[in-house]
Amino acid sequence: MGVPGPDWAVLAPHWQPEQRSAEQDAAAEAELAALRGTAERVAGGGIRAAVLGVNDGLVTNLCLILGVAGASVDAGTVRLSGLASLVAGALSMAAGEWVSVRSQAEVAQGMERSLRHAWQLSPPVVLAHLTGSLRERGLDRETAVRASRGVVTSGREATATSTRILFGVSAQDGGSPVVAAVSSLLLFSLGALLPLLPWFFADGGAAVTASVLLTAVASLAVGGALGYGSGRGVLRLAGRQLLIVAVASAITYGLGALAGSAVL
């Protein structure tokens, strides 16, 4: 008896094998290629660092600018404060991302070393855990046993693959600390610069209004891009992003207005 074919109804209940076409195959290949590219950017840490960087830059510097402006200080003080915040924040974000990603990779490497030691102590015990982990992911016993034995014979990747299956981490999955740091630095700087730009050309209420509008547009763009990329709805995430910025900005501007110039 041959191996039975897959039950397509589980993942594609409306797909009919007899209706398969070259156009649909090509579209599926394109979809997978796009997903592969997205997965590589996510694994590299660039997307996470970029989103955090630009969002933190927008929120941090707009809040600082509005807080200082709310204290009724001159435009020069606002510019100096904004520039100091931009430089300090960008360097802090870059350093934090580098340390975070690098530390994650080092912890995963330590776990792989410990797992290699466990293999040396008792291969059957580790193999049993590997099989059990694969069964928890939905594989039947026979398939899980074959797959776990296949992992053992996969050569240099055996330890990394075992660690990923057993604990969900791998030294290769954390991304590049350099990519994360550079992305964070550049995007934070860009985000922090937008609310500061109007203060080089105006002051007072006009500069405040321009800062808020620029940041609002940028926040909508960031939220919309996230919504489009995640498939969760452009308007929903754009509105959420704008609401976060609006609430934070209102609080800091109000605190600055209440404190007045006495805080300087």
Side-chain angles (χ1 to χ4, degrees):
M1 296 180 62
V3 179
D7 183 7
W8 300 114
V10 174
L11 291 176
H14 303 296
W15 184 75
Q16 299 297 326
E18 63 272 11
Q19 297 177 355
R20 180 179 181 181
S21 67
E23 290 77 9
Q24 289 178 328
D25 287 354
E29 290 286 359
E31 188 81 13
L32 291 172
L35 288 172
R36 192 173 296 110
T38 301
E40 289 174 354
R41 291 192 295 273
V42 171
I47 287 182
R48 171 181 171 274
V51 171
L52 285 175
V54 70
N55 187 65
D56 283 0
L58 287 168
V59 175
T60 299
N61 231 24
L62 178 65
C63 289
L64 181 140
I65 288 169
L66 293 183
V68 175
S72 301
V73 300
D74 60 273
T77 301
V78 175
R79 286 195 296 271
L80 179 60
S81 300
L83 285 172
S85 173
L86 186 157
V87 173
L91 293 176
S92 175
M93 286 287 292
E97 283 292 335
W98 192 92
V99 171
S100 174
V101 175
R102 183 60 186 167
S103 298
Q104 181 177 332
E106 290 171 346
V107 170
Q109 289 168 359
M111 293 177 68
E112 290 182 2
R113 287 193 295 270
S114 296
L115 184 58
R116 278 196 294 270
H117 185 237
W119 275 114
Q120 294 168 5
L121 290 173
S122 180
V125 168
V126 181
L127 186 62
H129 279 271
L130 198 60
T131 302
S133 183
L134 289 171
R135 292 203 66 190
E136 290 174 359
R137 286 163 168 78
L139 299 183
D140 60 74
R141 179 173 179 78
E142 182 180 352
T143 304
V145 169
R146 288 201 306 267
S148 59
R149 290 176 178 173
V151 170
V152 175
T153 60
S154 61
R156 297 179 61 184
E157 296 298 320
T159 302
T161 303
S162 300
T163 308
R164 188 181 291 110
I165 293 173
L166 288 170
F167 310 113
V169 299
S170 171
Q172 289 77 38
D173 293 342
S176 166
V178 175
V179 170
V182 172
S183 298
S184 183
L185 185 147
L186 294 179
L187 272 298
F188 183 95
S189 299
L190 176 61
L193 182 61
L194 287 176
L196 182 60
L197 277 177
W199 292 90
F200 290 96
F201 309 100
D203 57 15
V208 168
T209 301
S211 291
V212 171
L213 289 177
L214 276 176
T215 305
V217 171
S219 297
L220 287 172
V222 172
L226 290 175
Y228 179 80
S230 65
R232 296 176 60 190
V234 172
L235 294 179
R236 177 186 174 188
L237 292 194
R240 184 185 70 180
Q241 195 75 11
L242 181 61
L243 179 62
I244 292 172
V245 174
V247 171
S249 302
I251 291 174
T252 53
Y253 186 82
L255 290 175
L258 288 174
S261 57
V263 302
L264 300 176

